[in-house]
Amino acid sequence: MSMWTMPERREPPINPTDERAALEDRLEFQRTTLLMKCGGLKPEQLALRSVPPSPLSLLGLVRHLSGVEAWFHSYDGQPDHQYFWDYGSTESREVDVARAADDLASYQASVARSRAAVAGRGLDEASPGEEYTLRWIYLHMIEEYARHNGHADFLRERIDGATGE
């Protein structure tokens, strides 16, 4: 993979039809924002660390958020490991530019699994074995992405000066 492509991002409606649609639209906006921050960059750029000694990188954020998507995966009852690459931690510390395409594929598979796992579930439905409701998980994930997209802003600006939403 020579360069990650820039996805198109759809603005969430100002007046959503219902609570579920609002949560889904806002989370999709945040997911796409992360990929936009990575779009147009080469794997070597994606692996650049923010400020030494911090291990934070865009590629590390993608790997981390692949793992965080597991909040939704619990609803399908399948093991998590099948969506994460078998070469170490999903945390931002360990990135390998040679596996950038694998990291993107893992992220996309994790997000697809999340969507499928909660399709048709009620927002008041608790996560299996937990007290967290699906509503809480959506809110938590929006918060998680928004926080890390802020980090991604700084990382991207440091890499090539690009700024934006």
Side-chain angles (χ1 to χ4, degrees):
M1 166 181 269
S2 60
M3 194 173 288
W4 283 21
T5 59
M6 181 71 70
E8 287 192 34
R9 183 178 66 181
R10 188 176 64 84
E11 289 287 328
I14 294 171
N15 297 308
T17 57
D18 60 31
E19 180 185 15
R20 178 67 176 259
L23 293 170
E24 288 175 351
D25 288 344
R26 187 52 60 181
L27 181 56
E28 286 303 318
F29 181 85
Q30 294 295 331
R31 286 170 172 157
T32 306
T33 298
L34 174 67
L35 295 177
M36 287 178 67
K37 297 298 173 188
C38 299
L41 296 178
K42 297 176 182 176
E44 296 78 19
Q45 293 172 302
L46 293 167
L48 288 175
R49 294 175 185 254
S50 57
V51 179
S54 172
L56 191 63
S57 69
L58 287 169
L59 193 55
L61 286 175
V62 169
R63 292 187 75 197
H64 170 69
L65 288 163
S66 292
V68 173
E69 286 284 340
W71 280 94
F72 292 114
H73 299 174
S74 63
Y75 285 91
D76 69 11
Q78 299 299 312
D80 252 354
H81 71 277
Q82 63 184 320
Y83 283 94
F84 306 117
W85 300 99
D86 191 15
Y87 59 90
S89 169
T90 61
E91 292 301 317
S92 58
R93 301 180 193 292
E94 302 171 27
V95 295
D96 180 352
V97 296
R99 296 183 185 263
D102 292 342
D103 287 332
L104 177 59
S106 180
Y107 174 77
Q108 291 169 328
S110 188
V111 168
R113 179 177 174 186
S114 292
R115 290 183 191 120
V118 299
R121 303 271 185 174
L123 291 175
D124 292 325
E125 189 173 335
S127 178
E130 301 287 344
E131 293 182 24
Y132 305 110
T133 64
L134 183 55
R135 177 182 290 103
W136 184 90
I137 293 171
Y138 269 107
L139 291 170
H140 175 73
M141 291 296 290
I142 292 165
E143 174 190 39
E144 181 88 8
Y145 271 92
R147 179 174 44 257
H148 290 312
N149 282 337
H151 299 141
D153 281 336
F154 289 122
L155 287 162
R156 180 62 190 250
E157 186 174 9
R158 185 170 189 276
I159 292 167
D160 66 359
T163 61
E165 295 181 32

